Amino acid sequence: VLRRLQEEITRYMKEQGGTAGFLPAFGIYGIDGWGLAVSNMYDLAVIALSSVKGNYAQRVSRYDSRMKQKLEEDHRLLSEIQRALENGEITFYAQPKCNMRTGKIVGLESLVRWNHPERGLIAPGVFIPLLENNGLVTKLDLYVWEEVCRNDINITCLACTFNCCDCSLKWISTTTSWDQCIKIWICCH
């Protein structure tokens, strides 16, 4: 039934002038009794739908209670990350970059870790995608820029690189941010 509906929607869109790359997606909640209000059933179907966002291979998802648990955990983690940025729990590390021929250190790469007060060290693979998916990664990028400037690594005359999310380059004024970082560096040294 869903495959036929998907084909009909796609055909209709093409007849209306076509939209390049349009692929309908479906979130399904299977009714297992009438204890839930229809609006709650709809919300659960939307949670299922959000799980296929950006996935062009899988366009249908059936609600599973683990989806709601993950959503709740993600929201909890997001609020903890914002607190972590304010409380200095996000730690910047400078990793040496070496010339493979000479063995000399030629630069540094900034790495970021979250030192959670209860969970311990949390890898960036856990919290960075969550920030990216929720439009908050720019705060982390600015925080890392400032930390790079606050630390004495610049005195060594080595270049320090860091990874920055594409959206940060689109949404922030890099010149204004760098001006602020330079002022921080001057104040700290």
Side-chain angles (χ1 to χ4, degrees):
V1 171
L2 285 177
R3 188 178 313 274
R4 192 172 72 233
L5 181 59
Q6 184 177 18
E7 290 168 0
E8 286 295 315
I9 292 171
T10 303
R11 183 187 56 73
Y12 176 78
M13 292 303 294
K14 285 180 182 176
E15 288 173 1
Q16 301 304 312
T19 55
F22 176 78
L23 292 171
F26 302 94
I28 302 169
Y29 173 75
I31 300 172
D32 59 352
W34 293 101
L36 279 179
V38 172
S39 61
N40 291 31
M41 292 179 199
Y42 171 80
D43 291 342
L44 297 175
V46 169
I47 290 172
L49 177 62
S50 69
S51 74
V52 295
K53 180 182 175 185
N55 183 344
Y56 298 101
Q58 180 184 346
R59 304 302 296 160
V60 177
S61 178
R62 180 174 293 277
Y63 175 77
D64 174 315
S65 61
R66 291 173 293 188
M67 291 175 175
K68 186 175 178 192
Q69 291 168 351
K70 180 172 178 359
L71 187 66
E72 290 169 349
E73 175 61 20
D74 286 352
H75 282 292
R76 190 172 23 264
L77 212 52
L78 273 174
S79 64
E80 290 179 7
I81 292 170
Q82 290 177 349
R83 184 209 68 232
L85 286 167
E86 293 167 6
N87 295 341
E89 295 170 18
I90 304 295
T91 307
F92 152 75
Y93 295 93
Q95 175 176 289
K97 292 169 70 175
C98 296
N99 179 318
M100 295 301 287
R101 281 182 283 171
T102 66
K104 291 185 178 181
I105 296 174
V106 294
L108 302 168
E109 179 181 9
S110 65
L111 304 176
V112 66
R113 299 295 182 267
W114 178 9
N115 192 5
H116 192 283
E118 296 164 11
R119 301 180 194 191
L121 210 56
I122 298 177
V126 173
F127 64 93
I128 291 178
L130 189 59
L131 290 170
E132 289 173 335
N133 293 338
N134 289 280
L136 298 171
V137 75
T138 300
K139 286 183 178 184
L140 177 66
D141 287 340
L142 287 171
Y143 179 85
V144 172
W145 285 2
E146 289 177 5
E147 287 301 301
V148 167
C149 291
R150 263 192 194 91
N151 286 277
D152 288 338
I153 58 157
N154 296 312
I155 293 173
T156 63
C157 298
L158 296 174
C160 184
T161 62
F162 59 94
N163 297 320
C164 181
C165 182
D166 292 346
C167 64
S168 289
L169 296 175
K170 293 175 189 169
W171 293 109
I172 60 174
S173 166
T174 49
T175 20
T176 303
S177 297
W178 276 117
D179 284 347
Q180 291 169 344
C181 287
I182 291 168
K183 288 174 186 169
I184 289 169
W185 187 82
I186 291 169
C187 289
C188 292
H189 296 89

